[in-house]
Amino acid sequence: MRRAYKTGTESGFTLLELAIVIIVSGLLLTAAMQVYKSSLSNGDYRLTNDNVELAQEAIEEYYGLKGRYPCPANPALRPGDIGYGVELCPPANIVDCSTAPVGIVCTSDGSRDADGQGGDDPILIGTLPIVTLAGNPSKRSKIEEINGRDGYGMKFTYAVSGLMADTAYTVDSPANPHLGGINLRDENDQSLTDIEASTHFVVISHGFDQVGATPYEGTAVLDACQSNTFTPIIPGTFEPGTGVAKTDRENCDNDAYFVAGLRRLADNDNYFDDIIYYTTTASMPLWMTSNFSPPGQTWIYNTNLGNVGVGDITPTTPLQAVGDIRIEDRVESEQGFCNYLGVPGYASSTGCLQPSFISGDVGAGTGGYKCPDGKVAKGIENNQLVCEDLLPGGAGTHINFSNTCSLGPPQEFVTGIVVRSDGTGDLICSTYP
């Protein structure tokens, strides 16, 4: 016989039925809480993506308006502090980390010598200069100061190639887009750029675990590189999957290496939840429009830091062409058009090519206008003849000709020489008109 208990209504439940209802309700509540937590997590992730995308757009716009990228801000400053969120730059014409300001990390560990001046280039690391970006009166981006944090309440880490944030650059004389020096890798330690270590800048959210991040309202940087959960990272190393380093800790160890990898939330050394945006040389054009183009004209310039070859894949001079170069009007140098006749308004004859140079009038004491014996001129460079050996064997080589030109009739004259590898040759003869 089953006994029923009144509950204040006409219906009643047994103790067993009541227990089942409680258990089912608990399961449903647990599932609902998981959905709710997942929704919050996804919302934080989306907010982070939105804000870091705004940051990237604002940084690239800043480059267009200023001719350089902004410098990082001091991570230790909080809202309300003097200098909070404001770019903190080294003096102009930065060469290495010796002039880096206090509060900004400067390193060349893992970068490259992009400018070819010797020594790997400096990389500046701090937090996003949100006040500088949001307060730019010329900006078109929608970024505001509130966008300077990720969905987890942390400041964005910002690293930039020092040569591209140099305050010596202006919109009229911008930083060359091939000066990037950040070494960007994937989770398998493979370079993400065609030219290794050529990324311009990175903006990083350190994700849900927040390791390596700086609290938005606080001075302490969370120590991602000394976590008790994973093996501490060795500065300057990146060995994913080996147990030596946690992958996303590469983004906080203050070197020029950064990781943009797949999101992996497994609790092991491959864990990676960072969100990273970046700009590289590959996204910048090799030819750019000059800011000094006159009305109705478009001037372009080559952004390549090295030599430019036309029909030559190994140029050794700033501009090297194989074949003819045609000039319709005139050639100008940085000092202006060289007119030997001294027309008013032009440079004097100093440094100009002398007419006697190509007229055949060598003159006394002007032996520089002819090639040494056994050599022949093949060009003119820097007001000097460029000479090469007339014969394959060099100076002093003699050729035994198997023929002579006729003295007539008809009368012939020499117009060329054919040289054989065995040291013999033939004269090429033409008949007088």
Side-chain angles (χ1 to χ4, degrees), residues 366-413:
T366 56
Y369 293 168
K370 66 178 181 178
C371 290
D373 292 341
K375 293 182 178 293
V376 64
K378 69 171 185 178
I380 300 173
E381 184 177 296
N382 296 327
N383 254 357
Q384 296 293 324
L385 288 179
V386 179
C387 304
E388 66 177 7
D389 292 332
L390 172 63
L391 304 175
T397 301
H398 298 280
I399 298 176
N400 297 317
F401 294 104
S402 60
N403 70 317
T404 60
C405 293
S406 173
L407 296 178
Q411 191 176 14
E412 296 179 334
F413 62 97

Side-chain angles (χ1 to χ4, degrees), residues 5 27 34 41 73 118 126 186 205 214 223 254 272 314 316-317 418 433:
Y5 292 88
L27 291 174
Q34 292 296 329
S41 176
D186 66 11
S205 162
T214 305
D223 194 350
N254 292 336
F272 187 81
T314 57
T316 58
T317 58
V418 176

Side-chain angles (χ1 to χ4, degrees), residues 40-49 51 149-156 205-210 213-216 222 263 265 273-275:
L40 289 178
S41 176
N42 289 336
D44 294 339
Y45 184 77
R46 287 194 299 270
L47 177 60
T48 300
N49 269 297
N51 283 349
R149 70 188 82 179
D150 63 16
Y152 312 102
M154 299 290 160
K155 298 175 184 176
F156 289 113
S205 162
H206 293 276
F208 173 77
D209 63 1
Q210 301 177 357
T214 305
Y216 192 73
L222 297 184
R263 194 167 188 243
L265 304 182
D273 70 342
D274 290 0
I275 300 171

Side-chain angles (χ1 to χ4, degrees), residues 223-246:
D223 194 350
C225 300
Q226 298 297 327
S227 167
N228 294 324
T229 306
F230 299 95
T231 306
I233 196 169
I234 301 174
T237 65
F238 175 46
E239 303 178 47
T242 64
V244 175
K246 181 181 176 184

Side-chain angles (χ1 to χ4, degrees), residues 71-418:
C71 300
N74 188 341
L77 299 181
R78 299 174 294 181
D81 292 343
I82 297 176
Y84 161 77
V86 177
E87 66 169 345
L88 187 57
C89 294
N93 301 309
I94 181 173
V95 176
D96 52 38
C97 288
S98 61
T99 58
V102 176
I104 298 297
V105 173
C106 183
T107 180
S108 59
D109 182 12
S111 66
R112 66 180 180 124
D113 181 15
D115 61 355
Q117 299 301 309
D120 291 338
D121 301 331
I123 306 301
L124 307 176
I125 307 173
T127 50
L128 186 70
I130 186 61
V131 173
T132 296
L133 295 175
N136 182 6
S138 302
K139 75 180 178 74
R140 295 183 179 180
S141 63
K142 299 179 180 179
I143 196 167
E144 300 296 342
E145 187 174 339
I146 194 173
N147 303 121
R149 70 188 82 179
D150 63 16
Y152 312 102
M154 299 290 160
K155 298 175 184 176
F156 289 113
T157 293
Y158 171 61
V160 63
S161 300
L163 297 185
M164 300 196 73
D166 195 327
T167 55
Y169 292 114
T170 66
V171 67
D172 293 330
S173 180
N176 191 292
H178 297 278
L179 287 176
I182 294 175
N183 202 324
L184 191 66
R185 324 291 293 182
D186 66 11
E187 69 275 17
N188 298 310
D189 198 20
Q190 300 299 308
S191 176
L192 289 174
T193 55
D194 294 335
I195 300 175
E196 188 167 327
S198 61
T199 299
H200 296 180
F201 69 84
V202 292
V203 180
I204 303 170
S205 162
H206 293 276
F208 173 77
D209 63 1
Q210 301 177 357
V211 290
T214 305
Y216 192 73
E217 296 182 359
T219 60
V221 176
L222 297 184
D223 194 350
C225 300
Q226 298 297 327
S227 167
N228 294 324
T229 306
F230 299 95
T231 306
I233 196 169
I234 301 174
T237 65
F238 175 46
E239 303 178 47
T242 64
V244 175
K246 181 181 176 184
T247 305
D248 74 345
R249 253 183 282 163
E250 189 55 61
N251 289 337
C252 75
D253 61 349
N254 292 336
D255 59 20
Y257 293 94
F258 292 89
V259 179
L262 295 175
R263 194 167 188 243
R264 297 185 293 187
L265 304 182
D267 191 17
N268 56 41
D269 282 343
N270 291 323
Y271 180 94
F272 187 81
D273 70 342
D274 290 0
I275 300 171
I276 180 168
Y277 276 52
Y278 57 91
T279 291
T280 71
T281 302
S283 61
M284 304 297 289
L286 185 61
W287 294 91
M288 296 187 70
T289 302
S290 171
N291 292 320
F292 300 99
S293 300
Q297 298 185 36
T298 300
W299 291 357
I300 62 173
Y301 65 95
N302 190 281
T303 61
N304 176 35
L305 289 172
N307 300 323
V308 177
V310 180
D312 188 345
I313 62 174
T314 57
T316 58
T317 58
L319 177 61
Q320 185 165 319
V322 175
D324 297 332
I325 297 179
R326 182 172 181 175
I327 301 172
E328 297 290 347
D329 186 8
R330 67 183 185 182
V331 177
E332 291 190 21
S333 67
E334 291 181 358
Q335 288 75 33
F337 177 60
C338 181
N339 189 310
Y340 182 66
L341 298 178
V343 175
Y346 292 107
S348 68
S349 62
T350 303
C352 294
L353 179 65
Q354 306 297 320
S356 59
F357 199 108
I358 57 176
S359 68
D361 180 13
V362 176
T366 56
Y369 293 168
K370 66 178 181 178
C371 290
D373 292 341
K375 293 182 178 293
V376 64
K378 69 171 185 178
I380 300 173
E381 184 177 296
N382 296 327
N383 254 357
Q384 296 293 324
L385 288 179
V386 179
C387 304
E388 66 177 7
D389 292 332
L390 172 63
L391 304 175
T397 301
H398 298 280
I399 298 176
N400 297 317
F401 294 104
S402 60
N403 70 317
T404 60
C405 293
S406 173
L407 296 178
Q411 191 176 14
E412 296 179 334
F413 62 97
V414 178
T415 57
I417 299 174
V418 176

